[in-house]
Amino acid sequence: MIFDSIENSSLYYGLGEKFKTAFEFLKNTDLENLPLEKIEIDGDEIFAIPQKYVTVDDHEKNWEAHRKYIDLQYIVSGSENIGFVLIDYLDELEDYDEEKDYELLTGEGDYVQINEDEFAIFFPDDAHKPGLIVGEKEEVHKIVVKIKV
C-alpha cells in the first residue's frame, strides 16, 4: 500500500508506464465534471470509476481485495478512513469472483485517513476497506483508477 499526495505522484512513475498514465489522467482531467460511469483510459489496461457516496461506520463494510487490478484511489473532495492489511492476515468471507475481480475478507487491519488531493494504491496482496467515517458522515467524491497487473 502506498499513501501520498497527488503533488508527489511523479515519484511513482518508476512503477511503470501505466502508473504514469493513470496519474497524468488524474492531474489533467476535469474530475469534478466526470460522469459517474466507467471511463476507459487505455482499454481494459487502465480505466477510471468515478464515485460519490456517504461514508459509513467500519462495521458496515468488509475487507476487499483484487487479483487482476491494482487500485489507485484518489479523493477529489471529502475525507475518509481506509483500512489496509495484507490479505494473509485475513480470513476469506466469500469466494473470489473472477469475473468481477473481487473477494471479500474478514479480520482486523490498520487505517489511514485520506483527504482531498491524496491517494492510496492497493496492490493484489493489499486488502482494503474504503469509505469509512472520519468523525461524522460526509459525502466523498473519489476516482478509482484500475491498473491491470
Side-chain angles (χ1 to χ4, degrees):
M1 192 274 268
I2 296 171
F3 161 67
D4 207 338
S5 169
I6 196 71
E7 292 176 5
N8 299 323
S9 61
S10 63
L11 296 172
Y12 305 98
Y13 289 4
L15 293 172
E17 192 63 34
K18 290 180 185 179
F19 282 90
K20 181 179 180 184
T21 299
F23 282 120
E24 291 297 318
F25 169 82
L26 291 172
K27 293 192 297 187
N28 298 318
T29 303
D30 178 8
L31 302 175
E32 294 283 344
N33 294 307
L34 287 177
L36 298 178
E37 58 190 36
K38 180 180 174 181
I39 298 166
E40 289 188 10
I41 300 169
D42 183 16
D44 72 340
E45 293 292 312
I46 309 168
F47 59 90
I49 304 170
Q51 303 174 346
K52 287 186 179 179
Y53 54 83
V54 175
T55 54
V56 298
D57 290 320
D58 180 67
H59 69 274
E60 295 180 53
K61 301 277 269 200
N62 292 306
W63 295 95
E64 62 182 72
H66 314 288
R67 297 181 188 176
K68 296 178 185 176
Y69 287 91
I70 296 163
D71 269 12
L72 167 53
Q73 299 195 13
Y74 173 73
I75 303 292
V76 178
S77 63
S79 296
E80 69 178 42
N81 282 320
I82 297 182
F84 64 95
V85 63
L86 293 173
I87 59 173
D88 294 345
Y89 292 100
L90 300 175
D91 295 315
E92 187 175 81
L93 188 62
E94 287 184 16
D95 290 340
Y96 173 69
D97 184 327
E98 188 170 348
E99 184 178 319
K100 295 180 181 177
D101 186 37
Y102 189 85
E103 67 184 306
L104 294 178
L105 305 148
T106 185
E108 300 297 321
D110 295 304
Y111 298 84
V112 63
Q113 181 176 327
I114 297 189
N115 305 304
E116 186 173 318
D117 293 328
E118 295 176 342
F119 67 88
I121 300 173
F122 300 99
F123 296 92
D125 286 342
D126 300 325
H128 48 286
K129 190 191 287 193
L132 304 178
I133 289 174
V134 174
E136 296 182 14
K137 291 184 178 191
E138 71 175 291
E139 184 173 88
V140 171
H141 183 190
K142 178 195 282 185
I143 309 294
V144 177
V145 180
K146 304 292 257 179
I147 302 168
K148 196 167 193 176
V149 176

